[in-house]
């Protein structure tokens, strides 16, 4: 058995400096064990499988269904796999049924729109939001080596994110986390750059239990952080987040809130096209 395959560089304008996602096209017929095994083998932060929509998804206008795996298991939603898979689908000849691409995944239907030379997805509603209890916040700060922060909140849209706001981007870049203390927390940390910098904020994503201690560039986290920090007037409705700097990447995530909807965008480039042999 063989399947068309793409590998896509997501959230960057510079070759090999974004977050790669492996995309298996026409994946109907693959069982979950095979999907999980291939995701472990690629050892990327995410590997996706594109399938026909369910009847319910098709009724809602879905163009395809996406299953998203990390080396450690399946996620109901993730951002850079959403954009990378949508781009790979378009480059393979996919044509949306409507004005936008509609992806079906574990959290429901996600709209994806074309913005010039980049795609953007509509940030899904948070599954968990609001304040963090004292014990969890203490664990998070201890794992980051911080005595305090400017704010913290649950910003979970599927993966389980807890967001931490620190005073500045320099603090974000200087973090040396203790993953043993972090345990099963999924932490996103954000801090502002001075005015005039190439980006407005720096973001880092720590996910030690998902098979990648630090994710290079993370759409779902940036979506959750935007919902939290725009609503709390900590950030404007339009800004650019840098992510991956500490890993030698050059991720750029474009955030725009229009008519109450947050859009999370970035460029994607297919770097590898080929055929996946499954036997």
């Amino acid at each position: 058995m063989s399947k068309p395959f793409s590998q896509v560089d997501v959230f960057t304008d510079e070759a090999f400096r974004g977050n790669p996602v492996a995309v298996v096209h026409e994946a109907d017929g693959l069982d979950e064990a095979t999907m999980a095994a291939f995701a472990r083998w690629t050892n990327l932060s995410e590997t996706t499988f594109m399938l026909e929509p369910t009847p319910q998804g098709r009724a809602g206008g879905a163009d395809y269904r996406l299953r998203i795996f990390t080396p450690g298991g399946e996620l109901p939603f993730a951002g850079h796999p959403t954009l990378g898979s949508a781009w790979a689908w378009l480059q393979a000849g996919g044509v949306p049924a409507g004005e936008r691409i509609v992806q079906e995944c574990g959290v429901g239907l996600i709209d994806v729109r074309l913005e010039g030379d980049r795609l953007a997805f509509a940030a899904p509603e948070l599954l968990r939001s609001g304040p963090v209890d004292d014990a969890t916040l203490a664990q998070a700060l201890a794992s980051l080596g911080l005595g305090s922060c400017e704010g913290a909140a649950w910003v979970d849209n599927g993966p389980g994110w807890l967001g931490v706001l620190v005073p500045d981007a320099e603090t974000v870049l200087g973090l040396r986390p203790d993953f043993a203390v972090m345990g099963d927390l999924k932490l996103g940390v954000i801090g502002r750059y001075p005015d005039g910098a190439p980006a407005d904020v720096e973001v880092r994503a720590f996910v030690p239990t998902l098979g990648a201690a630090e994710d290079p560039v993370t759409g779902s986290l940036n979506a959750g952080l935007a919902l939290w920090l725009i609503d709390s007037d900590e950030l404007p409705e339009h800004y650019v987040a840098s992510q991956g700097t500490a890993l030698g990447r050059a991720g750029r995530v474009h955030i725009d809130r229009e008519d109450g909807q947050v859009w999370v965008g970035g460029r994607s480039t297919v770097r590898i096209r080929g055929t996946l042999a499954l036997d």
Side-chain angles (χ1 to χ4, degrees):
M1 182 187 296
S2 63
K3 299 289 183 181
F5 174 81
S6 304
Q7 192 157 311
V8 188
D9 198 6
V10 186
F11 284 130
T12 190
D13 296 330
E14 302 179 35
F16 316 123
R17 299 196 68 195
N19 199 358
V21 61
V23 183
V24 180
H25 303 254
E26 302 173 16
D28 297 277
L30 299 185
D31 59 35
E32 186 171 307
T34 300
M35 294 180 186
F38 183 59
R40 290 192 297 270
W41 184 79
T42 68
N43 203 34
L44 298 175
S45 55
E46 280 100 0
T47 298
T48 68
F49 300 85
M50 307 196 78
L51 307 105
E52 289 295 318
T54 65
Q56 182 179 7
R58 193 178 299 280
D63 292 295
Y64 53 81
R65 179 163 59 101
L66 198 69
R67 295 189 68 175
I68 305 165
F69 285 79
T70 73
E74 187 171 7
L75 296 176
F77 172 74
H80 100 272
T82 291
L83 295 189
S85 300
W87 189 258
W89 181 74
L90 288 173
Q91 297 304 300
V95 178
E99 293 183 0
R100 295 174 179 159
I101 299 168
V102 180
Q103 169 186 292
E104 181 183 9
C105 59
V107 297
L109 300 179
I110 304 293
D111 282 354
V112 181
R113 70 181 187 182
L114 188 63
E115 298 179 335
D117 60 355
R118 64 178 185 250
L119 294 175
F121 67 84
E125 294 183 4
L126 297 180
L127 304 176
R128 185 180 187 183
S129 60
V132 182
D133 65 89
D134 291 343
T136 301
L137 179 57
Q139 178 187 352
L141 293 179
S143 73
L144 295 170
L146 297 173
S148 63
C149 64
E150 292 198 340
W154 292 106
V155 291
D156 179 18
N157 47 23
W161 295 115
L162 188 166
V164 178
L165 175 65
V166 299
D168 50 43
E170 184 178 0
T171 301
V172 178
L173 292 172
L175 293 173
R176 299 295 181 266
D178 186 329
F179 294 116
V181 174
M182 192 174 295
D184 61 357
L185 293 177
K186 286 84 174 175
L187 298 183
V189 187
I190 184 170
R192 304 171 191 83
Y193 276 105
D195 291 344
D200 299 295
V201 295
E202 184 71 30
V203 172
R204 293 178 72 180
F206 302 113
V207 285
T209 59
L210 293 183
E214 181 170 356
D215 191 46
V217 200
T218 317
S220 62
L221 171 61
N222 277 282
L225 291 172
L227 291 174
W228 168 38
L229 295 172
I230 293 174
D231 282 346
S232 59
D233 294 324
E234 294 284 354
L235 290 176
E237 292 191 327
H238 307 279
Y239 67 88
V240 177
S242 167
Q243 190 180 348
T245 307
L247 300 175
R249 308 293 178 88
R252 291 294 184 269
V253 182
H254 296 257
I255 301 294
D256 298 284
R257 185 164 74 173
E258 300 173 7
D259 300 323
Q261 175 64 58
V262 169
W263 293 89
V264 180
R267 288 194 61 185
S268 296
T269 305
V270 176
R271 299 292 178 194
I272 301 172
R273 293 182 178 89
T275 302
L276 168 63
L278 289 159
D279 52 11

